Amino acid sequence: RPILVGAGLLLALGLVAADWRSARVAAPRLHHRLTAAPMEGLVIGLTRQDGGARHTMLLRRDASSIDPEVTLRIGLDGPLPQGVEPGARVRVVATLGPVPGPALPGAHDPARSAWFDGVSATGRATGPPTLLAPAPAARLPLARARQQLGDAIARRLGADAGA
C-alpha cells in the first residue's frame, strides 16, 4: 500500500512539474493571420540564409497598455540596412500568422519548438527594416562575436556550406 501511494504521489508531482514548465515558457499566441502592419522592437537574433540574400530576425516587441511583450520570427529578403544587428531597435512592416504545425505526422513540429523558444508568431517582411536606434556599444559582446564568426564562416565556405 505505501508503494502505491508513493508511486501515485510521484506521478502527480511529475504532472505538476510538466504543467509548471509549460506555463512558465508560454507566450501569447497568434491564432489568425494579420495583414501587413508596422512593428517596432528590439532585434534579439539574426540568422543569415542563402549567402545573405535572406535573413530571419527575432524581434521582441515591448509590452504596451493593450499588448504583452512578444517575440516574433520575421523573414526578410535582400540585404539588411547598415546597423541592423542584435541589440538594435528597428521598425518593419510585416504580415504575421500563427506558427505552422508539422508538415507530416511525426515530422518536425515548428509550433512545438516555437512554444519552448517563446516565439508568438511568424511572418514575412514586406520591405527592409528601418533602423530606429543602433545597438549599444556595450551590448552583448558574445552576440556580436558570434555574428562575426558566422559571417566569416559563410564567406569562407560559400552560401550553402557556410550556413
Side-chain angles (χ1 to χ4, degrees), residues 1 12 14 36 65 75-76 81 85-86 88 99 103 118-120 123-124 128 132 136-137 148 156 162:
R1 188 175 199 153
S65 60
L76 304 159
E85 59 183 0
V99 180
V119 175
S120 298
R124 301 274 323 148
L132 298 177
Q148 290 171 347
R156 178 93 170 147

Side-chain angles (χ1 to χ4, degrees), residues 5-29:
V5 170
L9 287 175
L10 282 176
L11 176 67
L13 183 63
L15 291 172
V16 167
D19 189 50
W20 175 80
R21 166 79 170 129
S22 186
R24 196 184 82 174
V25 299
R29 294 281 169 236

Side-chain angles (χ1 to χ4, degrees), residues 5-68:
V5 170
L9 287 175
L10 282 176
L11 176 67
L13 183 63
L15 291 172
V16 167
D19 189 50
W20 175 80
R21 166 79 170 129
S22 186
R24 196 184 82 174
V25 299
R29 294 281 169 236
L30 183 64
H31 297 289
H32 58 282
R33 195 135 199 68
L34 294 178
T35 58
M39 300 179 204
E40 291 182 15
L42 180 71
V43 178
I44 59 172
L46 197 57
T47 306
R48 229 171 97 154
Q49 300 165 335
D50 297 334
R54 294 180 55 213
H55 295 82
T56 301
M57 177 172 60
L58 285 178
L59 184 72
R60 180 173 293 141
R61 291 193 56 203
D62 300 326
S64 69
S65 60
I66 52 174
D67 293 325

Side-chain angles (χ1 to χ4, degrees), residues 61-134:
R61 291 193 56 203
D62 300 326
S64 69
S65 60
I66 52 174
D67 293 325
E69 180 180 284
V70 294
T71 300
L72 309 170
R73 185 179 298 136
I74 300 173
L76 304 159
D77 291 324
L80 293 176
Q82 186 69 26
V84 175
E85 59 183 0
R89 293 196 64 76
V90 298
R91 176 182 296 127
V92 64
V93 177
T95 59
L96 295 177
V99 180
L104 298 170
H108 171 70
D109 188 356
R112 183 183 187 283
S113 298
W115 174 272
F116 287 101
D117 290 342
V119 175
S120 298
T122 62
R124 301 274 323 148
T126 60
T130 304
L131 183 65
L132 298 177

